[in-house]
Amino acid sequence: MTPTNAAQTKAQKAKYFAHDLLFIMVGITIYAFGWTGFILSQRITTGGLAGISTIIHIVTDQPAYISYNIINALLLVISVIFLGWKFSIKTVIGVLFMIPMITVGETIFTNHPMLYDQPFMALLIGSLLCGLGLGIVFSVNGSTGGTDVIVAIMNKYKNMSLGRAMVMIDLIIITSSYFVNVYFAKQTIPSAQAIDLLVYSAVEIVLVSATMDWYVNSNRQSVQFWIFSTKYDEINDAIIKKLGRGCTLLHAEGGYSRHEVKVLLVVVRKRNSLPVYRIIQEIDPKAFVSQAAVRGVYGEGFDQISKLH
């Protein structure tokens, strides 16, 4: 690689990182506003680390951001171990940006909650905002920390959609909120009211996960690339090394020129389509690329082939 090409590649990587960083900040801002402004003030236990922090807040009456930040630090260590430094760098950035956003949001909305007398509308708007914020962050392979780290690990090793993994974790958290509200809270509430809050919490996690999956399009959806390039070897090696995905090399012949050409066939998850485009642009900006959405991809790295009945 010449010095000029190396400089261009470095500039492109910096541009991509700035793009991802902007999306992470926008997503976290939306999430923090949705949780602190609409959800937390209603005593509705959301999922994830926010839900755990809400439960601790109900029991101790301490600001939720204190427990949120402490637990996040521990989960960052898990992120480094299982997801690697590349994922963890964005997680650290997300956490560092989340800390002031949650702190400021809780400070503002503790005394001035949004739609306090309309719990269902607060639940609906807050859930949509939280799901959208998380979807934006995950779309650039970022994270807000917290149980998002656990969700990302499940998604990586189990091929489980982000929303489905989140629902599994969140169900455990919100179920425990019933017993906390009735028996362990600083200000306990009647069982009937606790059940109402439990139902609200269940609706909230479903809305959040559905909104997030809608945005990132990761629920069993993949994309297929046909890549026509004279630098097929370099693109092939980069996709294998950077994304851990295999490529199929097809031998073809130009219908007009009658020249032999090589075509790369690549199938990846929808969320990995942007990294594929970035690899192609870095190596051969003049490549001809065709992309198509596909469903029902089975085999190694995707879904398991189910037995027919």
Side-chain angles (χ1 to χ4, degrees), residues 225-291:
F225 288 91
W226 294 85
I227 305 170
F228 299 78
S229 170
T230 57
K231 299 181 179 179
Y232 57 87
D233 271 336
E234 296 177 48
I235 296 175
N236 175 74
D237 293 341
I239 291 175
I240 293 174
K241 293 178 180 178
K242 295 182 179 181
L243 301 182
R245 290 295 182 187
C247 303
T248 300
L249 185 61
L250 305 177
H251 300 271
E253 180 181 321
Y256 177 77
S257 65
R258 298 299 178 181
H259 293 160
E260 290 188 358
V261 294
K262 301 293 191 300
V263 182
L264 282 176
L265 173 62
V266 186
V267 180
V268 297
R269 292 293 187 185
K270 177 69 175 180
R271 63 181 178 275
N272 287 328
S273 59
L274 180 59
V276 171
Y277 275 117
R278 288 177 173 178
I279 288 173
I280 297 172
Q281 185 177 15
E282 290 173 3
I283 297 175
D284 185 8
K286 296 182 179 180
F288 182 84
V289 183
S290 174
Q291 175 186 337

Side-chain angles (χ1 to χ4, degrees), residues 155 158-160 217-223 225 245 267-276 297 301-303:
N155 176 255
K158 295 296 183 180
N159 272 326
M160 184 180 297
N217 291 321
S218 64
N219 188 15
R220 303 174 73 90
Q221 184 174 352
S222 302
V223 291
F225 288 91
R245 290 295 182 187
V267 180
V268 297
R269 292 293 187 185
K270 177 69 175 180
R271 63 181 178 275
N272 287 328
S273 59
L274 180 59
V276 171
V297 180
F302 293 90
D303 299 315

Side-chain angles (χ1 to χ4, degrees), residues 91-119:
T91 300
V92 170
I93 293 173
V95 170
L96 292 178
F97 190 68
M98 177 70 83
I99 290 173
M101 294 305 298
I102 292 294
T103 304
V104 171
E106 187 175 1
T107 302
I108 293 175
F109 295 113
T110 295
N111 297 321
H112 303 284
M114 305 290 288
L115 301 176
Y116 184 75
D117 58 341
Q118 302 179 53

Side-chain angles (χ1 to χ4, degrees), residues 1-293:
M1 181 179 293
T2 65
T4 301
N5 290 337
Q8 290 177 344
T9 300
K10 187 175 181 180
Q12 285 180 331
K13 289 182 178 179
K15 179 181 177 181
Y16 295 151
F17 185 78
H19 168 274
D20 294 349
L21 185 61
L22 176 62
F23 270 63
I24 289 173
M25 290 183 175
V26 170
I28 287 176
T29 301
I30 295 173
Y31 175 83
F33 175 59
W35 181 49
T36 60
F38 295 91
I39 303 297
L40 184 61
S41 60
Q42 299 291 341
R43 202 169 177 172
I44 297 173
T45 304
T46 184
L49 182 54
I52 297 174
S53 301
T54 301
I55 291 175
I56 296 175
H57 167 69
I58 293 173
V59 174
T60 64
D61 206 26
Q62 295 296 317
Y65 66 82
I66 295 177
S67 58
Y68 190 100
N69 296 335
I70 293 174
I71 298 173
N72 235 347
L74 298 175
L75 289 172
L76 281 178
V77 177
I78 297 176
S79 172
V80 173
I81 295 173
F82 289 96
L83 300 174
W85 281 106
K86 186 175 182 180
F87 178 92
S88 300
I89 288 175
K90 292 183 179 180
T91 300
V92 170
I93 293 173
V95 170
L96 292 178
F97 190 68
M98 177 70 83
I99 290 173
M101 294 305 298
I102 292 294
T103 304
V104 171
E106 187 175 1
T107 302
I108 293 175
F109 295 113
T110 295
N111 297 321
H112 303 284
M114 305 290 288
L115 301 176
Y116 184 75
D117 58 341
Q118 302 179 53
F120 183 76
M121 286 301 300
L123 168 70
L124 179 62
I125 296 175
S127 300
L128 294 177
L129 288 174
C130 288
L132 178 61
L134 290 175
I136 292 173
V137 173
F138 269 112
S139 70
V140 292
N141 294 321
S143 170
T144 60
T147 55
D148 291 356
V149 172
I150 308 300
V151 169
I153 292 173
M154 295 174 68
N155 176 255
K156 179 178 180 180
Y157 291 101
K158 295 296 183 180
N159 272 326
M160 184 180 297
S161 78
L162 298 174
R164 185 176 301 176
M166 180 168 288
V167 167
M168 291 178 61
I169 295 174
D170 291 350
L171 283 176
I172 298 173
I173 296 172
I174 68 166
T175 301
S176 64
S177 70
Y178 169 82
F179 300 98
V180 170
N181 277 315
V182 175
Y183 300 108
F184 303 105
K186 279 282 186 178
Q187 297 178 350
T188 58
I189 59 177
S191 178
Q193 185 178 350
I195 292 176
D196 290 342
L197 290 176
L198 182 62
V199 173
Y200 280 165
S201 296
V203 172
E204 190 268 349
I205 66 170
V206 171
L207 288 175
V208 169
S209 63
T211 304
M212 183 174 63
D213 270 350
W214 166 79
Y215 185 86
V216 300
N217 291 321
S218 64
N219 188 15
R220 303 174 73 90
Q221 184 174 352
S222 302
V223 291
Q224 178 176 276
F225 288 91
W226 294 85
I227 305 170
F228 299 78
S229 170
T230 57
K231 299 181 179 179
Y232 57 87
D233 271 336
E234 296 177 48
I235 296 175
N236 175 74
D237 293 341
I239 291 175
I240 293 174
K241 293 178 180 178
K242 295 182 179 181
L243 301 182
R245 290 295 182 187
C247 303
T248 300
L249 185 61
L250 305 177
H251 300 271
E253 180 181 321
Y256 177 77
S257 65
R258 298 299 178 181
H259 293 160
E260 290 188 358
V261 294
K262 301 293 191 300
V263 182
L264 282 176
L265 173 62
V266 186
V267 180
V268 297
R269 292 293 187 185
K270 177 69 175 180
R271 63 181 178 275
N272 287 328
S273 59
L274 180 59
V276 171
Y277 275 117
R278 288 177 173 178
I279 288 173
I280 297 172
Q281 185 177 15
E282 290 173 3
I283 297 175
D284 185 8
K286 296 182 179 180
F288 182 84
V289 183
S290 174
Q291 175 186 337

